[in-house]
Amino acid sequence: MEAKTNNKSLVYLEGALFLLFASILLPTNVKSIAVGLFCAVSVYHFFKSKNTFNTRFFLVNAAVYFLIAITLIYSDNIAYGVRKLTSFLSLLLFPLCFALFSRNDMRYLYSRLDKMLGVYLLTVVLFNVIPFLWFYITHYSFSDMLIHFPTVMRVDVGKYGIHPIYLSMHCSVAILFSMFILRSLKSKWKIVGVLLLDAILILFLLLYAKKGPILALMIVSTLFILFQRKRAIVRPYIFAILGLVVLMIAIPRTRNKFLELQKIEVIGEGGPTSTNIRYTIYGVAKELIYESPILGYGIGDYRDVLNKKYETTGNSVLKEGRYNTHNQFLSLLTIGGVILLLAFLCTLAINLVFATRFNNELFILVLLFYGIVMLTTNILEREAGVIYFALFFNFLSAKTLFVNPSDA
């Protein structure tokens, strides 16, 4: 039975949270307004309800942002550092907001969890399908859409533009959420509807052909099936995975992306594939890290230092592309050294311990998914990544972090 409330401020808070789960449909400049609205409603509810601030939750989940901000002290490029701190701001705002809520508040919000996950699933599908149909009808043939759609979504949709790697993450997380929705559904028609939405997202995943999110989704979905301990769902899942593998092999774009893994070389010795580019970048980043392993180079200078290193290596591909590290852990090392990386890993570990203790399955799988994708992508350094990571991380973390057994 769903929790009920007569607290109007909590109802407003629920609405603001639903808006965030649907915010992929908002243009870039409006997303920040949605985050600001959630923060404002959270503060209003805090004072209206006379809640107690959860200091431990805030300090653990916001520690990384504070340490990144401290690196501005030894940065030379202060202006760039301040801009980057602004882009990282979700890492501070969401821990702050969720630290304002009481356990009763969280129980009420979690009673709406399936609906929130459903809203996210539906809006991610719409965000992919609507532009595809629009450009198919107005600009391209179907075969051209299969070739150009990832680029279209990056450069031709104005303030809705988003890199395919983040689109792939959205599709993967939405599919992961759907697994938890399916677990509670009784209606066969609703189950069929969710599975149809999943099928659409899988097709878009194959269209974007990003290896990291696909592999991460396959790993966490397998863990989800194991968590359920139900033999009845194992066989359908195996058939689904086999079907996905067949599609990956049959579709040239996806097949070629995975074939890159057969031979990984430094650019110059091998072609400039996405895998080889990452492998070369990792070598350059490691050299920088060895030169300043403890404190890194600061939030203001880490990109300048990396770009200068590209120039000294004489690699024209990296120099012209001005690539980031394509690995969130390496990026944290270049920003704040071992201290910052350990702080981030400790935040993840503390949350994982509590999530495991109280069987917070969804949070465990979301943590693992993002952790795997972070091995090949800088999630935290773009709005399309950091807002949703911080939102899901803190919302799901609030269910178990520092919770008393009697409140679980």
Side-chain angles (χ1 to χ4, degrees):
M1 185 175 179
E2 286 192 346
K4 295 183 180 180
T5 182
N6 294 318
N7 189 334
K8 288 186 178 181
S9 63
L10 187 54
V11 174
Y12 298 152
L13 183 62
E14 177 190 356
L17 194 54
F18 267 105
L19 179 62
L20 285 176
F21 272 80
S23 62
I24 189 173
L25 293 179
L26 302 177
T28 301
N29 56 331
V30 180
K31 280 187 177 71
S32 57
I33 296 175
V35 174
L37 176 64
F38 177 71
C39 293
V41 174
S42 298
V43 172
Y44 171 74
H45 173 72
F46 175 75
F47 287 107
K48 190 76 173 178
S49 302
K50 299 180 181 179
N51 287 340
T52 301
F53 186 72
N54 193 337
T55 304
R56 287 192 299 172
F57 177 93
F58 174 67
L59 291 178
V60 168
N61 284 4
V64 170
Y65 185 86
F66 288 120
L67 287 176
I68 292 174
I70 289 172
T71 68
L72 192 64
I73 296 173
Y74 52 88
S75 298
D76 291 327
N77 192 341
I78 301 299
Y80 179 78
V82 171
R83 289 201 303 273
K84 291 306 295 182
L85 284 175
T86 301
S87 66
F88 279 109
L89 199 56
S90 294
L91 297 177
L92 175 67
L93 294 179
F94 284 113
L96 175 63
C97 290
F98 285 102
L100 298 173
F101 307 151
S102 68
R103 293 307 308 164
N104 287 334
D105 294 338
M106 293 312 304
R107 288 191 190 96
Y108 175 76
L109 294 175
Y110 282 125
S111 71
R112 270 58 177 168
L113 179 61
D114 280 359
K115 292 181 180 179
M116 292 181 190
L117 301 183
V119 165
Y120 180 74
L121 170 64
L122 181 59
T123 53
V124 171
V125 171
L126 291 174
F127 188 76
N128 285 276
V129 169
I130 291 174
F132 187 91
L133 293 177
W134 171 258
F135 283 96
Y136 169 58
I137 293 170
T138 61
H139 290 77
Y140 300 102
S141 66
F142 186 77
S143 58
D144 286 338
M145 284 298 296
L146 298 181
I147 298 171
H148 299 298
F149 187 64
T151 302
V152 166
M153 291 300 290
R154 184 164 55 89
V155 301
D156 293 336
V157 291
K159 292 181 179 179
Y160 288 95
I162 181 172
H163 194 283
I165 188 67
Y166 296 101
L167 277 169
S168 297
M169 281 190 280
H170 279 299
C171 291
S172 299
V173 173
I175 292 171
L176 177 58
F177 285 175
S178 75
M179 296 177 185
F180 285 83
I181 296 171
L182 285 168
R183 192 168 62 174
S184 62
L185 290 180
K186 304 299 181 183
S187 167
K188 290 183 179 180
W189 289 109
K190 289 182 179 180
I191 292 172
V192 170
V194 171
L195 291 175
L196 178 61
L197 295 179
D198 283 343
I200 293 171
L201 292 177
I202 288 171
L203 292 176
F204 278 104
L205 265 179
L206 296 172
L207 178 60
Y208 300 133
K210 297 301 178 181
K211 302 183 292 294
I214 291 175
L215 290 173
L217 176 62
M218 293 174 71
I219 292 170
V220 296
S221 61
T222 301
L223 289 174
F224 171 82
I225 296 298
L226 294 176
F227 284 168
Q228 307 314 303
R229 298 184 179 90
K230 294 180 180 178
R231 291 186 179 181
I233 62 176
V234 172
R235 183 176 295 179
Y237 176 74
I238 291 175
F239 281 120
I241 287 293
L242 290 176
L244 178 60
V245 172
V246 169
L247 286 173
M248 289 164 58
I249 295 172
I251 299 173
R253 177 198 292 269
T254 312
R255 181 178 66 246
N256 293 337
K257 284 288 186 178
F258 280 90
L259 287 176
E260 293 176 6
L261 299 174
Q262 289 184 323
K263 191 175 184 181
I264 303 175
E265 299 175 305
V266 174
I267 298 174
E269 298 177 6
T273 65
S274 62
T275 302
N276 287 348
I277 288 173
R278 281 175 166 81
Y279 182 66
T280 308
I281 291 171
Y282 297 162
V284 174
K286 288 176 183 177
E287 290 181 19
L288 285 177
I289 291 164
Y290 290 147
E291 293 171 11
S292 183
I294 306 300
L295 297 176
Y297 298 91
I299 186 63
D301 299 341
Y302 79 108
R303 284 303 302 273
D304 289 339
V305 172
L306 186 61
N307 289 329
K308 288 177 182 177
K309 194 69 174 180
Y310 291 156
E311 293 180 8
T312 59
T313 61
N315 192 306
S316 59
V317 175
L318 300 186
K319 179 181 176 181
E320 293 172 7
R322 298 176 64 84
Y323 294 99
N324 60 34
T325 59
H326 282 72
N327 181 301
Q328 190 61 67
F329 305 106
L330 292 179
S331 183
L332 292 173
L333 282 167
T334 58
I335 294 171
V338 173
I339 294 175
L340 180 59
L341 178 62
L342 286 177
F344 183 63
L345 293 177
C346 284
T347 296
L348 298 182
I350 292 170
N351 276 279
L352 186 58
V353 167
F354 278 89
T356 304
R357 181 182 179 187
F358 294 109
N359 197 32
N360 191 349
E361 289 183 14
L362 179 56
F363 187 34
I364 293 170
L365 295 179
V366 167
L367 272 179
L368 291 176
F369 173 81
Y370 278 115
I372 294 168
V373 176
M374 283 180 180
L375 293 172
T376 56
T377 307
N378 291 22
I379 293 175
L380 305 181
E381 293 166 43
R382 288 193 181 181
E383 180 188 83
V386 68
I387 286 180
Y388 296 96
F389 170 80
L391 169 63
F392 300 147
F393 181 88
N394 287 281
F395 178 53
L396 297 173
S397 168
K399 184 177 182 180
T400 46
L401 184 59
F402 299 125
V403 172
N404 294 321
S406 59
D407 295 328

